[in-house]
Amino acid sequence: MWRPDWISSVWPLKSEAQAAPGASRDRIAKALALATVVCVGAALLLSKGTQLFMPGPLASAHGGIEKCSACHTKNGDSKLSWVHGLVAGDPLADSKACLTCHKMPDTAFNAHGASAGVLEQSTRRLTKIAAQTPQPHAARAQAAAFPTHDVVERGLFCATCHQEHRGATFDLAKISNEQCRSCHVVKFDSFDGRHPEFESYPFKRRSRIIYDHAGHFGKHFPEVAKKTPARRIPDTCSACHNSREDKRVMAVAPFEQTCIGCHLDQIVGKERASGPKGIAFLSVPGLDLVTLKKKKASVGEWPDASEADLTPFMKMMISRNEDGRALIKAVDSLNLQDLTAATDEQIRAVTTLAWEIKGLFHALISGKASDVLGTFNIGGGATLSPGLVTDLTASIPRDVIVSAQQQWLPNLATEMANRPQARDQKQSGWSATIEDASPGGATSEREARASEDAAPAAKNPSQQDSGSKPAQPQGVEVKTYTTNAGPEDSSDGASGEDTGGPIKGRSLLPSGTPRAIEARRKDAEQAGDAEPPSGKTEKEDRNDDVRRAGDPDRADKPSLKEGGVGNADAAPKPDATKEAQPPAEEPPGKATEQTDDLLFPTEDELRAIKAGTKSPAVAAAQSERADGKAEARDAKPDRAASKEAAIEARADAEAGSPASGSGASPKGAAPVISIASDVDPESWADYGGWYRQDYAIYYRPTGHKDKFVYSWLVLTGPHASKGNASPATAVFDALTGKDAQGSCTKCHSIDDVQGKGRLVNFSPASAAGKQGRFTSFIHEPHFGSVESRGCLTCHNLEKERPYLKSYEQGNPHTFSSNFGAVKKDLCQSCHTSGMARQDCLLCHSYHVNGVTTPIMNTKLPTQ
């Protein structure tokens, strides 16, 4: 019988089959293969997309993924693209696709996502434990069948632990104990079996807040309760500690709820027994003016009574450029108040420092604090933000610096306008700051006015008053003055030169003040003259009085005795007043009007004020002018009368005349201009803020979290390594010393950061700070299982440990805790096979650094 050839090849004749044994089996195999090809082809043609190749549904978290190529990178989107998966490629390609949504560090494919150094250290520790721990038989068989010694070298796949296509309700994060045990060198069956013992758990580093529990429980709390029974004393641990929302951190309650009752006065300085309660920010440091004069150094006007030190903050501000850093380095080892052994080069450095200090004060007054501090470039970092500059200066009022300058350096404007330009003395770098701050780079209006005021004095030296000298910073003479001193205290010990007036070695007091009048009277008595030789004519004295009353135009008019308005017969003709001479003494920037003469009266003036009478000097001065005033009162216009009344009121106020009484003026009581106060400036700033004392401007902390102290510590800490002699280190050490104002580091610990200076731990512990740990613990579920001892059930207080001493060094991992470590036996009392859970994931999480899902990177739509 005839059959086609292809049929014969599939179904041969019986006789042929008998001739070839096993041929029927081959035919069946071929038929099945043909059927498979036909079925697969039909399935590919009839199915939609590539859903045919899915072994099972995705988990709910990945249910929105439609394309296989989103996870299987070697596969395309066509029906035949699965063939590409048969070719070998990057084994981590699919795992890298997971990182497009899940944000992880560069060590994502290492075991636990930890760094190689951490894994190596952990492996060494566990290898020692494994040598002493027998392995279960099941673990040995697993290790022989599936060796994992090269897992760390080649990297772990995400699919090693997270296996998809097991249904929508499958937990992708679930890992069995056998999966964990397959890699670890220490293998055990259960937690209550051969789990390793705890090592110093849970103390990996010392606490950020220095709090001696043993000292407070045994000493401080009983003493406070005995001294002040009404003060709140914690009676339970929960009074200070509470669990946060993340449940992992036992946080400390805020300062206002816990420590404020006992430690607030330490911060604001009320409990400080010695030393200043404020932080010296700016100062006019004491200089050895005698030696400077002998060396012919030109520092200009400088107070000889100052004993203040150059503050670390000023060192930092002066060191804002390379020249400033070299200058501070040159003078840092000198005792500025004893320069007898200083070399000529060091004397020049001190001279430059003096002018730098003057330039700093001038810049802070004529410009802005942001112009000075905003140029900080500490450590090569970015310039400071406006908010940080505000915190660094604590919004210091400009008037505080102005009043300090008027008392300490009253002729600063004139001196800066004529500052030395010698070749061996570098010009102050502060002028660039002020010029840059002005529009177009021009000098400020204040400097222009100061230059104009100084010009007449420089051009007409013959017209200068014989009792005073203009500031001459270019000369070799060191001009000094003494504040708060009477005429009897003046000497030539500091200056060695007579300035030509009755008072030597200092600037003249304003002529209209009681002390100046008294000085001229005493000099007149000693010389036997009828008129006090004040160094000025009576006309000039009266011109000064009028000028002090606020009318500069009145200064050029003749006095009443010389034919003023009150004397019609002696009145000058109009043409005689056209060429009126300028005043003999031009006040440089009105600085000499602001002296401490009224703030610190003499003993005679104090007694006169207390008795309600005028001092003899003031009474004599007023009697000299009584006749002229009486004649002029009726003749001069209302404006002149008001000015004369202002002069009289000023003299009465300076003498401390009472506002009312039997001796009151018929016109009414003279107004009291100055108010005496016995309050010390430091006590005046009792609740914090700025105050001025002893040639320094101080800042007193306002309370906890003071921004001034905080910002300076944060700014200088990264550049303040131990042993470093930089100005930043000096500021940091000054604010973190044992007796530092604010007492921040009494509670906030300091950590030495390798290559990054020092860090004050202002931020409390957080769950984010616990990343990198292999063990996690949640407090809240355990609160119901502790006994009446509460926290002491697990944390045993050990009183004899050197807790505080461990904070004297900077390594946070070298310490001794107040509490003993938690033992494994304590946990095993509950976590056994018959009671609480004991699987690996209960206390350990695989990804030690966490895994986050960031937002999508969406590009802005184009127009």
Side-chain angles (χ1 to χ4, degrees):
M1 182 178 67
W2 179 85
R3 293 181 300 177
D5 294 338
W6 65 273
I7 296 178
S8 300
S9 62
V10 177
W11 289 286
L13 295 176
K14 184 176 182 181
S15 59
E16 295 176 356
Q18 292 175 352
S24 60
R25 183 180 59 188
D26 294 339
R27 291 194 300 270
I28 294 174
K30 293 179 180 179
L32 291 176
L34 178 63
T36 300
V37 171
V38 172
C39 292
V40 170
L44 289 175
L45 293 175
L46 298 177
S47 64
K48 295 181 180 180
T50 56
Q51 299 296 322
L52 177 67
F53 300 101
M54 289 185 63
L58 296 173
S60 59
H62 298 155
I65 300 176
E66 297 181 354
K67 297 181 179 180
C68 297
S69 59
C71 298
H72 303 281
T73 56
K74 288 187 285 186
N75 299 336
D77 296 329
S78 64
K79 294 180 179 180
L80 296 178
S81 60
W82 58 274
V83 179
H84 294 259
L86 301 178
V87 181
D90 185 3
L92 295 175
D94 292 350
S95 296
K96 292 178 181 178
C98 298
L99 302 184
T100 59
C101 294
H102 299 281
K103 185 178 180 180
M104 295 185 65
D106 297 336
T107 57
F109 302 128
N110 292 351
H112 295 282
S115 63
V118 172
L119 290 176
E120 183 179 359
Q121 181 181 0
S122 179
T123 301
R124 288 198 303 266
R125 180 179 62 86
L126 294 176
T127 301
K128 295 179 181 179
I129 298 175
Q132 304 172 358
T133 305
Q135 297 184 6
H137 295 291
R140 292 181 181 180
Q142 183 183 18
F146 306 100
T148 58
H149 59 275
D150 61 340
V151 169
V152 177
E153 296 179 2
R154 63 191 172 105
L156 286 172
F157 308 145
C158 295
T160 303
C161 300
H162 309 290
Q163 298 179 3
E164 259 292 2
H165 300 290
R166 294 196 175 188
T169 59
F170 181 75
D171 185 7
L172 289 174
K174 184 178 180 179
I175 302 177
S176 64
N177 290 347
E178 288 73 21
Q179 286 178 288
C180 297
R181 189 177 61 186
S182 63
C183 294
H184 282 263
V185 294
V186 179
K187 303 180 185 298
F188 50 89
D189 291 328
S190 60
F191 176 71
D192 59 350
R194 296 185 178 91
H195 187 283
E197 296 290 337
F198 297 165
E199 294 181 0
S200 303
Y201 181 78
F203 308 114
K204 298 297 182 183
R205 58 155 291 154
R206 65 190 182 192
S207 59
R208 289 165 175 79
I209 299 296
I210 306 174
Y211 185 85
D212 185 9
H213 288 80
H216 281 78
F217 296 165
K219 178 182 179 182
H220 302 311
F221 287 163
E223 289 180 352
V224 172
K226 183 179 180 180
K227 183 178 180 181
T228 311
R231 181 169 292 180
R232 176 179 175 269
I233 303 297
D235 53 357
T236 63
C237 296
S238 59
C240 299
H241 296 274
N242 55 69
S243 180
R244 288 185 172 180
E245 295 180 357
D246 52 38
K247 313 302 180 187
R248 289 191 60 187
V249 179
M250 204 65 185
V252 180
F255 175 85
E256 292 75 14
Q257 300 179 15
T258 54
C259 310
I260 189 171
C262 297
H263 295 282
L264 180 61
D265 287 345
Q266 297 176 0
I267 296 176
V268 298
K270 290 184 178 180
E271 293 185 357
R272 184 180 293 274
S274 60
K277 295 179 174 61
I279 303 167
F281 184 66
L282 298 172
S283 69
V284 175
L287 299 180
D288 186 357
L289 299 177
V290 176
T291 302
L292 290 174
K293 180 183 179 302
K294 291 180 180 178
K295 297 285 187 177
K296 297 183 179 181
S298 172
V299 298
E301 183 179 53
W302 201 268
D304 61 352
S306 174
E307 295 182 357
D309 295 325
L310 183 64
T311 70
F313 303 93
M314 295 180 68
K315 291 181 181 180
M316 254 196 98
M317 286 184 276
I318 294 175
S319 301
R320 61 187 180 73
N321 53 37
E322 190 62 33
D323 292 339
R325 286 188 285 272
L327 175 61
I328 293 300
K329 185 177 181 180
V331 302
D332 214 15
S333 60
L334 295 177
N335 180 5
L336 297 179
Q337 300 183 39
D338 185 5
L339 300 174
T340 54
T343 63
D344 293 340
E345 183 178 356
Q346 290 173 334
I347 292 295
R348 286 194 296 268
V350 174
T351 305
T352 305
L353 175 65
W355 286 103
E356 280 290 323
I357 294 173
K358 290 184 178 183
L360 174 60
F361 274 89
H362 189 268
L364 289 173
I365 295 173
S366 58
K368 297 180 296 184
S370 57
D371 296 334
V372 176
L373 297 182
T375 57
F376 270 2
N377 192 15
I378 180 172
T383 56
L384 307 183
S385 64
L388 182 56
V389 172
T390 301
D391 294 339
L392 291 174
T393 58
S395 300
I396 180 173
R398 179 175 175 272
D399 292 345
V400 173
I401 306 177
V402 171
S403 61
Q405 172 262 317
Q406 290 175 344
Q407 182 177 352
W408 303 338
L409 303 169
N411 297 310
L412 180 62
T414 304
E415 287 190 320
M416 294 307 298
N418 303 312
R419 57 184 173 271
Q421 302 293 338
R423 289 180 300 173
D424 58 343
Q425 184 172 328
K426 294 181 172 126
Q427 181 178 354
S428 174
W430 302 108
S431 58
T433 302
I434 305 304
E435 292 173 5
D436 294 342
S438 304
T443 56
S444 63
E445 183 181 356
R446 186 185 309 275
E447 285 185 284
R449 288 200 303 268
S451 301
E452 293 174 1
D453 293 341
K459 293 179 180 179
N460 302 315
S462 60
Q463 297 180 6
Q464 295 296 323
D465 179 54
S466 59
S468 62
K469 286 185 179 180
Q472 298 291 342
Q474 299 95 329
V476 297
E477 178 184 355
V478 179
K479 182 178 179 181
T480 63
Y481 70 93
T482 306
T483 58
N484 309 341
E488 64 276 9
D489 295 331
S490 62
S491 63
D492 57 357
S495 63
E497 291 284 346
D498 190 348
T499 59
I503 305 174
K504 297 180 181 180
R506 57 177 180 156
S507 300
L508 286 178
L509 294 170
S511 59
T513 59
R515 189 174 299 175
I517 298 172
E518 181 70 10
R520 292 197 299 271
R521 185 185 64 81
K522 288 185 178 181
D523 292 339
E525 292 177 356
Q526 293 176 1
D529 297 335
E531 292 292 334
S534 62
K536 296 184 180 182
T537 64
E538 184 178 359
K539 173 183 175 181
E540 292 170 340
D541 285 343
R542 297 187 63 77
N543 285 340
D544 286 344
D545 292 340
V546 176
R547 189 182 301 113
R548 292 174 58 85
D551 185 11
D553 297 332
R554 179 70 174 169
D556 297 331
K557 297 178 182 180
S559 64
L560 298 179
K561 293 183 179 181
E562 298 182 59
V565 179
N567 191 344
D569 297 335
K573 297 181 181 181
D575 58 351
T577 60
K578 290 182 181 180
E579 298 180 358
Q581 295 295 329
E585 180 182 359
E586 188 71 15
K590 296 184 180 181
T592 53
E593 293 181 13
Q594 302 292 335
T595 67
D596 58 353
D597 187 58
L598 296 180
L599 300 178
F600 302 90
T602 62
E603 296 181 0
D604 294 337
E605 293 168 356
L606 288 175
R607 286 194 295 268
I609 293 174
K610 185 176 181 181
T613 60
K614 301 176 183 178
S615 63
V618 177
Q622 290 178 347
S623 62
E624 291 178 3
R625 296 186 297 232
D627 295 337
K629 292 179 181 178
E631 295 175 0
R633 189 173 294 118
D634 297 331
K636 59 187 175 183
D638 294 340
R639 179 182 179 187
S642 62
K643 292 179 180 178
E644 286 294 332
I647 297 174
E648 183 178 356
R650 172 78 179 191
D652 293 340
E654 290 174 347
S657 176
S660 62
S662 58
S665 173
K667 292 184 178 181
V672 178
I673 298 177
S674 61
I675 301 175
S677 175
D678 295 333
V679 179
D680 182 77
E682 189 176 71
S683 301
W684 183 86
D686 200 13
Y687 292 97
W690 294 97
Y691 68 93
R692 179 165 53 91
Q693 192 175 48
D694 298 333
Y695 294 95
I697 297 176
Y698 292 87
Y699 175 79
R700 193 164 176 178
T702 57
H704 189 241
K705 298 180 181 179
D706 184 86
K707 290 185 177 180
F708 176 85
V709 182
Y710 171 83
S711 58
W712 278 104
L713 288 175
V714 172
L715 177 67
T716 59
H719 313 279
S721 301
K722 285 185 177 179
N724 188 0
S726 66
T729 303
V731 173
F732 189 88
D733 291 341
L735 295 177
T736 58
K738 182 179 180 181
D739 298 324
Q741 293 82 358
S743 302
C744 293
T745 54
K746 182 181 180 67
C747 299
H748 296 278
S749 61
I750 303 176
D751 294 345
D752 291 341
V753 183
Q754 185 69 26
K756 296 182 179 179
R758 286 175 284 180
L759 171 69
V760 181
N761 291 298
F762 288 113
S763 300
S766 62
K770 293 182 177 295
Q771 288 187 355
R773 294 190 177 189
F774 292 99
T775 304
S776 61
F777 180 82
I778 302 177
H779 280 86
E780 189 169 348
H782 297 81
F783 290 158
S785 61
V786 296
E787 301 175 357
S788 58
R789 297 183 69 236
C791 299
L792 296 178
T793 303
C794 302
H795 302 285
N796 186 31
L797 183 64
E798 298 183 1
K799 300 180 180 181
E800 303 302 327
R801 290 195 170 191
Y803 172 78
L804 294 177
K805 190 173 182 60
S806 63
Y807 284 90
E808 295 177 1
Q809 49 85 39
N811 187 356
H813 299 286
T814 302
F815 72 105
S816 180
S817 176
N818 271 148
F819 298 94
V822 177
K823 304 297 183 182
K824 187 187 78 167
D825 297 341
L826 179 64
C827 299
Q828 284 182 334
S829 61
C830 294
H831 294 278
T832 61
S833 57
M835 296 180 65
R837 284 177 54 189
Q838 58 171 339
D839 55 282
C840 298
L841 295 184
L842 178 64
C843 301
H844 304 283
S845 34
Y846 179 84
H847 296 284
V848 294
N849 293 314
V851 180
T852 58
T853 303
I855 62 174
M856 299 300 295
N857 295 325
T858 305
K859 294 183 179 180
L860 295 176
T862 58
Q863 297 295 334

